[in-house]
Amino acid sequence: MRLTVNGAQHHLVGLDPRTTLLDALREHLHLTGAKKGCDHGQCGACTVLLDGRRVNSCLILAITQQDAEVTTVEGLGRRGEPHPVQQGFLDHDGFQCGYCTPGQICSAIGMLDEAGKGWPSAVTEDDDLLSDREIRERMSGNLCRCGAYPAMVPAIRQAAGR
Amino acid sequence: MKTFEYRTAAGLAAGLEPGAVFLAGGTNLVDLMKLGVATPDVLVDVNRLPLHEVSGLPDGGIRIGSAVRNSDLAADHRVRTAYPVLSQALLAGASGQLRNMATTGGNLLQRTRCRYFMDATMPCNKHRPGSGCPARDGDHRNLAILGGSPACVATHPSDMAVALAAVDAVVQVDGPAGQRSIPVTGLYRLPEDTPERDTVLEHGELITAVDLPALPVAARSTYRKARDRASYAFAAGSVAAALRVADGLVADVRLAFGAVAPKPWRAYVAEEALRGQPATEERFRAAADAELAAARPLRDNAYKIALIRNLTAAVLTALAEDVR
């Protein structure tokens, strides 16, 4: 089967159909940025972008995504030139241990795109889709056991240009 | 995970061989396969079928293709203006990542999150018929107060389905025996002594669309969900409501409760008690109590009665005040 990740096409020979996208990335392509936290779609550490949309790669079978473009944290920015969300996390110290960070960053990128399209959230009351309350609600699918949330909010706010 | 054969669906009415199941967004099915609770021999991927559109119906309603993702549906302008309760219910559920994968049909057909059902090593009449139900005397804090049976007190976990039940949505189904339409309120079975079957669908029947009828009262509708944390948790109780008030009286009302029963619980008794009555908080509370008179709570979930009563009163009062 084929898998397109960060712009490069890979051919995975003899891949077991049970292999999740997360395991294909980590164990077969050795892209270990996306993390296996809970492996049940409850923590968000495995978040990647699938055709630009944020998803939990632990709940997706790799074999179903042969026509998709997958972007992982390894595909963001360039050496010495981080993605604005990565820069925001650096500037605001948006992590402690760092385990959830690749998922947080991919999720934030997908989230900013959703807000940019005008998608509402459960707390939307007006046209301000990126207030701190909105950022917290929209990022609620990513857990951080260190509790670095207070630094992630301004990191994401900065990446949003606010 | 047990091994399986994977293929893409050949067509809408192609049906399924024994041991095969449809795969849509996979957010619940793949999880249940990892847990060993779902053990299909064949996965038939329906994601390439042409079921991804939201379109208008001749009567002014809308048709939602069953593969439309929860996030796309919640953001749909027609849904947000004509059926805000549906958009709000979708956004109250899961996370941004899950809503980007989860589909309309798959959301309807997700299984209960009862901890005994989710644990393949535990007895459970739903995942292993006849093995018993530890929930009645065990952890049932979030299980059913309405519609349960001695064999099963599971709750249906969907937020979306509660909104769909409230607005008279109709499920379109295609299968080897032909097409049929089923109201969302009639899609789910109560468990009785066969809790292994969640719905009235036959093996091989595929949900192709969900139709929302033209329903003016739905333009003034809302969804409110109570849960253990601020976001990203299943409901402890929820209410979907639509209300039209004229001259201080209830002219039209739709009401459904979530997280209290094995199906989204359309509150027909409460609706009937309210029609033509003064739109006051006192009446709203009494109507909820009329519906909840049938509740049979277990040791640790009687709190849901007060929760639903208060949610109902708060939501309908807010809708009524909005009108005046």
Side-chain angles (χ1 to χ4, degrees):
Chain A
M1 64 158 283
R2 65 179 183 280
L3 203 56
T4 306
V5 183
N6 300 330
Q9 199 173 98
H10 302 269
H11 289 273
L12 299 171
V13 180
L15 194 75
D16 190 308
R18 291 174 288 185
T19 310
T20 61
L21 178 57
L22 176 62
D23 284 341
L25 292 169
R26 290 182 57 84
E27 308 298 331
H28 296 268
L29 300 178
H30 309 295
L31 293 167
T32 54
K35 295 293 186 285
K36 185 178 281 193
C38 70
D39 209 24
H40 291 286
Q42 297 173 5
C43 77
C46 67
T47 302
V48 300
L49 300 170
L50 197 61
D51 293 326
R53 293 160 65 113
R54 55 180 172 158
V55 296
N56 294 323
S57 63
C58 75
L59 291 181
I60 295 170
L61 297 171
I63 196 170
T64 65
Q65 301 302 328
Q66 301 194 65
D67 298 323
E69 296 268 349
V70 181
T71 304
T72 69
V73 72
E74 290 92 341
L76 302 175
R78 271 175 283 178
R79 193 168 292 277
E81 201 180 321
H83 185 284
V85 172
Q86 292 174 313
Q87 190 64 52
F89 272 69
L90 287 169
D91 292 348
H92 293 272
D93 207 9
F95 39 75
Q96 185 172 314
C97 82
Y99 190 83
C100 71
T101 307
Q104 299 279 2
I105 286 172
C106 287
S107 183
I109 292 169
M111 181 276 276
L112 291 172
D113 183 58
E114 293 164 8
K117 288 189 286 193
W119 287 13
S121 84
V123 300
T124 299
E125 285 172 346
D126 52 33
D127 292 337
D128 186 1
L129 301 183
L130 288 171
S131 65
D132 286 2
R133 184 164 177 248
E134 285 273 3
I135 290 172
R136 286 195 180 93
E137 162 60 25
R138 289 169 186 268
M139 292 297 294
S140 66
N142 291 81
L143 306 188
C144 170
R145 287 195 67 175
C146 303
Y149 304 113
M152 289 186 220
V153 174
I156 293 168
R157 199 197 302 131
Q158 172 182 309
R162 298 157 66 105
Chain B
M1 191 187 302
K2 188 179 84 66
T3 192
F4 56 85
E5 179 194 327
Y6 169 83
R7 62 181 165 81
T8 53
L12 292 182
L16 286 176
E17 60 268 48
V21 300
F22 292 121
L23 171 70
T27 52
N28 185 218
L29 178 58
V30 173
D31 192 27
L32 291 174
M33 290 166 66
K34 288 184 180 189
L35 294 167
V37 174
T39 55
D41 298 318
V42 184
L43 272 191
V44 179
D45 188 340
V46 296
N47 286 289
R48 286 172 206 184
L49 296 176
L51 303 171
H52 294 268
E53 299 295 321
V54 180
S55 53
L57 288 170
D59 76 340
I62 62 174
R63 170 163 290 179
I64 303 158
S66 60
V68 172
R69 308 285 157 173
N70 288 177
S71 51
D72 292 314
L73 186 58
D76 186 278
H77 181 70
R78 289 158 292 190
V79 171
R80 290 174 68 183
T81 51
Y83 311 91
V85 64
L86 176 56
S87 178
Q88 292 171 19
L90 285 159
L91 293 170
S95 66
Q97 292 96 313
L98 290 166
R99 291 192 294 270
N100 274 337
M101 283 305 289
T103 64
T104 309
N107 186 313
L108 286 172
L109 299 182
Q110 66 179 304
R111 311 296 306 273
T112 185
R113 297 314 196 279
C114 172
R115 61 176 285 188
Y116 303 104
F117 173 75
M118 299 278 284
D119 184 343
T121 68
M122 294 297 289
C124 167
N125 290 321
K126 202 183 255 307
H127 73 219
R128 203 160 59 245
S131 62
C133 174
R136 292 195 73 88
D137 298 317
D139 178 2
H140 52 239
R141 180 174 168 272
N142 205 20
L143 300 183
I145 58 170
L146 290 161
S149 75
C152 183
V153 286
T155 38
H156 196 266
S158 172
D159 293 297
M160 180 194 80
V162 183
L164 290 178
V167 300
D168 298 326
V170 175
V171 173
Q172 303 297 343
V173 173
D174 210 337
Q179 301 178 351
R180 58 179 178 137
S181 304
I182 307 168
V184 166
T185 49
L187 176 66
Y188 301 97
R189 297 176 64 257
L190 291 180
E192 300 172 351
D193 54 2
T194 51
E196 66 274 18
R197 285 192 64 196
D198 290 0
T199 72
V200 301
L201 295 182
E202 300 293 337
H203 185 72
E205 282 191 314
L206 177 69
I207 295 176
T208 57
V210 175
D211 290 352
L212 306 185
L215 188 71
V217 69
R220 199 170 290 282
S221 64
T222 194
Y223 186 76
R224 195 173 295 185
K225 172 176 179 176
R227 46 186 156 178
D228 287 346
R229 44 188 203 200
S231 183
Y232 198 22
F234 288 98
S238 69
V239 170
L243 180 68
R244 186 165 68 85
V245 175
D247 302 326
L249 301 178
V250 174
D252 200 0
V253 61
R254 296 289 189 284
L255 200 56
F257 303 153
V260 293
K263 61 177 183 178
W265 192 267
R266 177 71 179 267
Y268 290 113
V269 174
E271 290 178 11
E272 193 52 41
L274 283 173
R275 275 199 193 89
Q277 299 300 311
T280 63
E281 186 173 342
E282 196 182 357
R283 297 278 182 154
F284 298 147
R285 205 169 282 280
D289 279 336
E291 186 74 44
L292 293 163
R296 296 292 174 268
L298 302 166
R299 184 191 63 229
D300 293 330
N301 66 3
Y303 75 94
K304 284 177 186 268
I305 293 175
L307 182 62
I308 293 293
R309 178 197 303 128
N310 292 336
L311 283 172
T312 301
V315 161
L316 289 176
T317 302
L319 285 171
E321 282 169 357
D322 228 26
V323 178
R324 285 183 193 130

